[in-house]
Amino acid sequence: MKEETKMKILKKLIFIIIISFVFSLVCCSSKNKQTVDFYSLDTICTVTVYGKEQKNLLSISQKAVEKAEYLLFSDTPEENYISSKAEAIIILPNNSVNVFKKAFYITELTEGAFNMSIAPLVNLWDIKNRTIPPTCEEIDYALSLSGEDKISFDNGKISFKFPGNGIDIGAIGKGYAGDVIAKELTELDLDYGIINLGGNIRVFGQKPDNKPFSIGIRNPLSDISSDIVLTVSIYSGSVVTSGAYERYFEYHGKRYHHIIDPSTGYPSESDLLSVTILSEDGVYADALSTGCFVIGLEKSKNVLKKAIEKNLINGAIIIDENKKITIIGEIDTEIKNGGFSYAK
Ligand code: AMP
Ligand code: MG
């Protein structure tokens, strides 16, 4: 080979090496991954972001959760939001009026199955600390203090009828907080990220390959959180799941879990193992996942179809007690566990 040709090849090689080096530097810096974990909202929160390094990621994320908590809970009477006086009133911060509007609408849509007025029952069952169920008399009393007719929502105010009525936002808090964190992080110089609030997922931004995020849906029959039944693809929004496996205690071989049926006052005897909702709006996703768990498979199908028609959600994944998976809406899923199959 001529000396001149050799030099040409060498120059080309050096050029390719330099270009690859610069390209890999650019790619690495834009794909820079950061993860922070913290305990909030009664669960482990993990925020993973890709993009320019953010030194204050932890404090920004924690502050966003505090902001969500403030918007939901501020000005509430103490004692777990149970009113101690007749006609007690919660004045909502302006920004949260819409959140409660959405939540009360889901109460309507689920015919009272998603029902924030059950605070007296949630407090009585105290699933995190209890080891034996409350008595029938205690349940009847808490039930008499709960119910849609005990609270009213109007003009940015929530009012209670009698002392002992209350409001519990446990079924919307994480969905809403996911949206608030995502909004705060979207304002930073980041490419994309995934917010995991105890299994409730919120994604934001766009992956460099323009592919969707693949989110694993947990096996409700397993204690291992990484054990998944299927994956679902989403480009944006929330993936929120409710199931009896999340919080419970066992007494005489029976499981008492944290999702209460407002019509009985007992943990819901649902025919479902879990309900997952996909939505651009975390509040709708969270409220509907809880409400649909209570109403069970057949009623959920109708409610969720209506919710899709009204553009509240994008789709849903229902796993029933027969290990059958019902998909509602046009969503892309893939089963990863042979023990489960799609319902016919
Ligand atoms: P999630 O994990 O989103 O299904 O919400 C469950 C939490 O919401 C419970 O820990 C209670 O604080 C509250 N909750 C339980 N049952 C209901 C219900 N039927 N409607 C509204 N909130 C509920
Ligand atoms: Mg919920």
Side-chain angles (χ1 to χ4, degrees), residues 114 170-172 200 240-242 285-291:
F114 164 78
I172 53 167
N200 289 350
V240 178
T241 303
S242 284
D286 207 349
L288 269 171
S289 67
T290 309

Coordinates of all heavy atoms in Angstrom, one line a residue, residues 114 170-172 200 240-242 285-291, ligand 2:
F114 N -65.7 4.5 45.8 CA -64.5 5.4 46.2 C -65.2 6.5 47.0 O -66.0 7.3 46.5 CB -63.8 6.0 45.0 CG -62.9 7.1 45.3 CD1 -61.7 6.9 45.9 CD2 -63.4 8.4 45.2 CE1 -60.9 8.0 46.3 CE2 -62.6 9.5 45.6 CZ -61.3 9.3 46.2
G170 N -56.2 9.1 51.6 CA -55.3 8.1 51.4 C -55.3 7.5 50.0 O -54.3 7.0 49.5
A171 N -56.5 7.5 49.4 CA -56.6 6.9 48.1 C -56.3 7.8 46.9 O -56.3 7.3 45.7 CB -58.0 6.3 47.9
I172 N -56.0 9.0 47.2 CA -55.6 9.9 46.0 C -54.2 10.6 46.2 O -53.7 11.2 45.3 CB -56.6 11.1 45.8 CG1 -57.0 11.9 47.0 CG2 -57.9 10.5 45.1 CD1 -57.7 13.2 46.8
N200 N -46.8 3.2 42.9 CA -47.5 4.1 42.0 C -46.5 4.9 41.2 O -45.7 5.6 41.7 CB -48.4 5.1 42.8 CG -49.6 4.4 43.5 OD1 -49.8 3.3 43.3 ND2 -50.2 5.1 44.4
V240 N -51.2 3.6 38.2 CA -51.5 3.5 39.6 C -52.3 2.2 39.9 O -53.2 1.9 39.2 CB -52.3 4.7 40.1 CG1 -52.7 4.5 41.6 CG2 -51.6 6.0 39.9
T241 N -51.8 1.4 40.9 CA -52.4 0.1 41.2 C -53.0 0.1 42.6 O -52.3 0.6 43.6 CB -51.3 -1.0 41.0 OG1 -50.8 -0.9 39.7 CG2 -51.9 -2.4 41.3
S242 N -54.1 -0.5 42.8 CA -54.7 -0.8 44.1 C -54.8 -2.3 44.3 O -55.3 -3.0 43.3 CB -56.1 -0.2 44.3 OG -55.9 1.2 44.5
A285 N -56.4 8.4 38.2 CA -55.9 7.0 38.3 C -56.0 6.5 39.7 O -56.4 5.3 39.8 CB -54.4 7.1 37.8
D286 N -55.6 7.2 40.7 CA -55.6 6.7 42.0 C -57.0 6.5 42.6 O -57.3 5.4 43.1 CB -54.8 7.8 42.9 CG -54.2 7.1 44.1 OD1 -54.5 5.9 44.4 OD2 -53.4 7.8 44.8
A287 N -57.9 7.4 42.4 CA -59.2 7.3 42.9 C -59.9 6.1 42.2 O -60.6 5.3 42.9 CB -60.0 8.6 42.7
L288 N -59.8 6.0 40.9 CA -60.5 4.9 40.2 C -59.9 3.6 40.5 O -60.6 2.6 40.6 CB -60.4 5.1 38.7 CG -61.5 5.9 38.1 CD1 -61.2 6.3 36.7 CD2 -62.9 5.2 38.2
S289 N -58.6 3.5 40.8 CA -58.0 2.1 41.1 C -58.6 1.7 42.4 O -59.0 0.5 42.5 CB -56.5 2.2 41.2 OG -56.0 3.0 42.2
T290 N -58.8 2.5 43.4 CA -59.4 2.1 44.7 C -60.9 1.8 44.5 O -61.3 0.8 45.0 CB -59.2 3.3 45.7 OG1 -57.8 3.7 45.7 CG2 -59.6 2.8 47.1
G291 N -61.6 2.7 43.9 CA -63.0 2.5 43.7 C -63.3 1.3 42.9 O -64.2 0.5 43.3
Ligands
MG2 MG -56.0 4.8 45.1

